[in-house]
Amino acid sequence: MTNLQQAALAHMAYAQAEKNGRSSEMLVHDGPLRQSLLALVKGTELGEHNAPPAASLLVLEGSVRVTTPGGEEDLARGELSVLTHERHAVLALEDCVFLLTTVTSIPKP
C-alpha cells in the first residue's frame, strides 16, 4: 500500500532538489496498467509526447497545463482529465504533484 500524501510530499522535495525540477515513481505496474506519481517544480515541462491507448491525469497538489493540438486545459488540485490519443505536453503552473494512470496496450478481441 502507498500513502499518496506522504509520497507526494517526498517527491516534491526530490523535484525541488533536482536540476531538472522533476521526480517520479511508478506505483502500480500490473499488466498493461501503470500508475505513476510525478512531481514538477513550477515552470518545468514534460515536452510533447504521444499518449498511450488510455490515460488520465489527476492533480494531487498544485496546478498544471496540458497542451494538445486542440488547445490547452489548466488543471488544479483535485481535478481529473482524460488524456486523448493526441500528442500532448504538461507544464507545471506551480509546484505540483499528479497521478498519471495509463493503459499501455489494449488486447485485440
Side-chain angles (χ1 to χ4, degrees), residues 25-29 33-37 99-102:
E25 176 184 6
M26 186 176 299
L27 302 174
V28 175
H29 182 179
L33 175 66
R34 310 281 190 278
Q35 286 191 301
S36 300
L37 189 66
L99 183 67
L100 178 66
T101 301
T102 62

Side-chain angles (χ1 to χ4, degrees), residues 12 15-18 21-22 39-45 92 94-96:
M12 192 69 260
Q16 290 168 338
E18 291 294 324
R22 63 177 80 168
L40 303 176
V41 173
K42 180 180 179 177
T44 301
E45 182 175 25
E94 56 187 334
D95 290 358
C96 65

Side-chain angles (χ1 to χ4, degrees), residues 31-94:
L33 175 66
R34 310 281 190 278
Q35 286 191 301
S36 300
L37 189 66
L38 291 93
L40 303 176
V41 173
K42 180 180 179 177
T44 301
E45 182 175 25
L46 300 177
E48 189 176 290
H49 55 280
N50 290 327
S56 67
L57 186 152
L58 171 62
V59 179
L60 301 173
E61 295 293 336
S63 61
V64 300
R65 174 171 292 143
V66 178
T67 304
T68 67
E72 297 177 342
E73 180 179 31
D74 291 353
L75 303 168
R77 181 179 185 200
E79 293 184 317
L80 173 71
S81 180
V82 174
L83 300 176
T84 65
H85 300 276
E86 296 179 308
R87 291 181 60 79
H88 62 278
V90 179
L91 171 67
L93 298 175
E94 56 187 334

